[in-house]
Amino acid sequence: MLSKFIPKSTTEITHDILYTMDVNCSGKSFRDVALDTKEFNEFKNEDSAWKDPNGDKLILGVIDQVCAVIN
């Protein structure tokens, strides 16, 4: 999944952050596999471990929506 984080307030050193996220529907987990501030997948994170959303409502909502589309 591709996503974009936009900070609530911006300054000269604050940038939007682009993420590429893998979602594990059966395990309700995720991992960030790449990120950048200019284009998707510029910096790959090959060793990213699967993470539990730990109750984060935004991430849980994203996982639910992605998995609903897949199924």
Side-chain angles (χ1 to χ4, degrees):
M1 184 191 91
L2 305 175
S3 63
K4 181 178 186 178
F5 171 77
I6 302 171
K8 197 171 193 175
S9 62
T10 58
T11 66
E12 289 181 22
I13 61 170
T14 319
H15 300 283
D16 298 351
I17 302 172
L18 307 172
Y19 289 94
T20 302
M21 175 191 289
D22 284 346
V23 173
N24 178 339
C25 293
S26 63
K28 292 274 188 183
S29 57
F30 72 99
R31 63 183 176 184
D32 293 325
V33 293
L35 64 113
D36 194 342
T37 57
K38 293 184 176 57
E39 64 182 63
F40 284 107
N41 296 333
E42 186 171 0
F43 300 106
K44 298 220 181 224
N45 185 5
E46 301 292 338
D47 296 326
S48 180
W50 291 102
K51 299 176 187 169
D52 184 285
N54 199 28
D56 184 304
K57 290 181 181 183
L58 176 61
I59 294 175
L60 287 168
V62 168
I63 291 172
D64 287 345
Q65 288 182 9
V66 168
C67 296
V69 169
I70 291 172
N71 294 325

